[in-house]
Amino acid sequence: MRKFLLYLLLVVTAVSMGSCRKAVEKAQRNIRFEGIEKIERQGLTGAEIVVRVMNNTGYKLVLSMAEIDVYYADGRVGTVVLREPVEVPRHTTDSFRTLWRLKIADPMALYVLLKKAESGDLSQVGIAYALEGRGGPAPVKISRDRMPLSDFLNTFGLTLQDVKNYLK
């Protein structure tokens, strides 16, 4: 009887993991970041970024918290924080306004980073991020420790050249 219950538990676990994998694959097909349409600075520490997002699911998507730590060489330059939640209605492809605030941790490192960016050298820039939100009934928490800027941008289909163009 014990072996039967163990086998039953293993089968249920395998089936549920398979359906979770299918759900994740379906979500990847139906939810897509399509690009940045506009970046506009607001004062010294704020920015408005208009992004285009496709949500082809039956659920409203909500990004309630986002923090992105920016590093240059070995030090943290600052943190970019989402100021207010962003909602993407179900079955929608549209542009959405997001508001961000920069918290500067090291003003000298920021100065060096900006000078290096002007010269086109973003090779020592790193990113760490944490996001929280909802995809319908499911809470979503995603985070990643420090990674190269180029790897972070690849997640969104962007290149270092795109960043250089936005900074002009």
Side-chain angles (χ1 to χ4, degrees), residues 3 29 31 62 71 80 94 111 136-137 148 151 153:
K3 282 188 178 183
R29 285 191 311 269
I31 300 170
V62 178
Y71 294 88
V80 182
D94 206 352
Y111 176 76
D151 291 351
L153 294 172

Short mmCIF file of all heavy atoms in Angstrom, two decimals, residues 3 29 31 62 71 80 94 111 136-137 148 151 153:
data_model
loop_
_atom_site.label_atom_id
_atom_site.label_comp_id
_atom_site.label_asym_id
_atom_site.label_seq_id
_atom_site.Cartn_x
_atom_site.Cartn_y
_atom_site.Cartn_z
N LYS A 3 3.92 1.60 -1.21
CA LYS A 3 4.51 1.77 -2.53
C LYS A 3 3.49 2.35 -3.50
O LYS A 3 3.82 3.20 -4.31
CB LYS A 3 5.05 0.44 -3.06
CG LYS A 3 6.36 0.04 -2.47
CD LYS A 3 6.90 -1.18 -3.18
CE LYS A 3 8.25 -1.53 -2.61
NZ LYS A 3 8.87 -2.66 -3.30
N ARG A 29 4.74 32.68 -24.91
CA ARG A 29 4.23 32.99 -26.25
C ARG A 29 3.23 34.14 -26.22
O ARG A 29 3.13 34.90 -27.18
CB ARG A 29 3.55 31.76 -26.86
CG ARG A 29 4.46 30.69 -27.34
CD ARG A 29 3.71 29.64 -28.16
NE ARG A 29 2.50 29.14 -27.53
CZ ARG A 29 2.43 28.07 -26.72
NH1 ARG A 29 3.51 27.39 -26.45
NH2 ARG A 29 1.28 27.69 -26.20
N ILE A 31 2.82 36.63 -23.77
CA ILE A 31 3.21 37.87 -23.10
C ILE A 31 4.56 38.27 -23.68
O ILE A 31 5.51 37.50 -23.65
CB ILE A 31 3.33 37.68 -21.58
CG1 ILE A 31 2.00 37.23 -20.99
CG2 ILE A 31 3.81 38.97 -20.93
CD1 ILE A 31 2.09 36.78 -19.55
N VAL A 62 -0.04 42.82 -13.74
CA VAL A 62 0.27 43.96 -12.88
C VAL A 62 1.73 43.88 -12.44
O VAL A 62 2.17 42.84 -11.93
CB VAL A 62 -0.63 43.98 -11.62
CG1 VAL A 62 -0.27 45.15 -10.72
CG2 VAL A 62 -2.09 44.03 -12.01
N TYR A 71 25.39 48.90 -11.34
CA TYR A 71 26.77 48.81 -10.84
C TYR A 71 27.73 49.28 -11.91
O TYR A 71 27.49 49.08 -13.10
CB TYR A 71 27.12 47.36 -10.50
CG TYR A 71 26.31 46.81 -9.35
CD1 TYR A 71 25.08 46.20 -9.58
CD2 TYR A 71 26.78 46.89 -8.05
CE1 TYR A 71 24.34 45.70 -8.52
CE2 TYR A 71 26.04 46.38 -6.99
CZ TYR A 71 24.83 45.78 -7.24
OH TYR A 71 24.09 45.28 -6.20
N VAL A 80 17.26 52.16 -9.53
CA VAL A 80 16.14 52.72 -10.27
C VAL A 80 14.89 52.00 -9.76
O VAL A 80 14.83 50.78 -9.76
CB VAL A 80 16.31 52.50 -11.80
CG1 VAL A 80 15.17 53.12 -12.56
CG2 VAL A 80 17.65 53.05 -12.26
N ASP A 94 -0.44 47.32 -26.44
CA ASP A 94 -0.54 48.77 -26.35
C ASP A 94 0.72 49.34 -25.72
O ASP A 94 1.59 48.61 -25.26
CB ASP A 94 -1.77 49.15 -25.52
CG ASP A 94 -2.31 50.52 -25.87
OD1 ASP A 94 -1.67 51.26 -26.65
OD2 ASP A 94 -3.40 50.86 -25.36
N TYR A 111 29.04 59.78 -12.02
CA TYR A 111 29.77 60.66 -12.94
C TYR A 111 30.68 59.85 -13.87
O TYR A 111 30.69 60.06 -15.08
CB TYR A 111 30.58 61.69 -12.13
CG TYR A 111 31.43 62.58 -12.99
CD1 TYR A 111 30.87 63.63 -13.70
CD2 TYR A 111 32.80 62.36 -13.10
CE1 TYR A 111 31.64 64.45 -14.51
CE2 TYR A 111 33.59 63.17 -13.90
CZ TYR A 111 33.01 64.22 -14.60
OH TYR A 111 33.78 65.01 -15.40
N GLY A 136 -2.72 37.53 -13.43
CA GLY A 136 -4.02 36.95 -13.10
C GLY A 136 -4.02 36.56 -11.64
O GLY A 136 -3.65 37.33 -10.77
N PRO A 137 -4.37 35.29 -11.34
CA PRO A 137 -4.43 34.86 -9.95
C PRO A 137 -3.06 34.52 -9.35
O PRO A 137 -2.94 34.34 -8.15
CB PRO A 137 -5.30 33.61 -10.01
CG PRO A 137 -5.07 33.06 -11.38
CD PRO A 137 -4.87 34.27 -12.25
N PRO A 148 25.97 41.16 -16.34
CA PRO A 148 26.40 42.20 -17.29
C PRO A 148 25.20 42.90 -17.93
O PRO A 148 24.16 42.28 -18.16
CB PRO A 148 27.18 41.41 -18.34
CG PRO A 148 27.57 40.13 -17.69
CD PRO A 148 26.49 39.85 -16.69
N ASP A 151 23.69 41.21 -21.03
CA ASP A 151 22.80 40.07 -20.77
C ASP A 151 21.41 40.54 -20.36
O ASP A 151 20.40 39.98 -20.79
CB ASP A 151 23.37 39.17 -19.67
CG ASP A 151 24.62 38.43 -20.11
OD1 ASP A 151 24.96 38.48 -21.32
OD2 ASP A 151 25.27 37.81 -19.24
N LEU A 153 19.98 43.38 -21.18
CA LEU A 153 19.32 43.96 -22.35
C LEU A 153 18.82 42.89 -23.31
O LEU A 153 17.76 43.04 -23.92
CB LEU A 153 20.28 44.91 -23.08
CG LEU A 153 20.67 46.16 -22.30
CD1 LEU A 153 21.76 46.91 -23.04
CD2 LEU A 153 19.48 47.04 -22.02
#
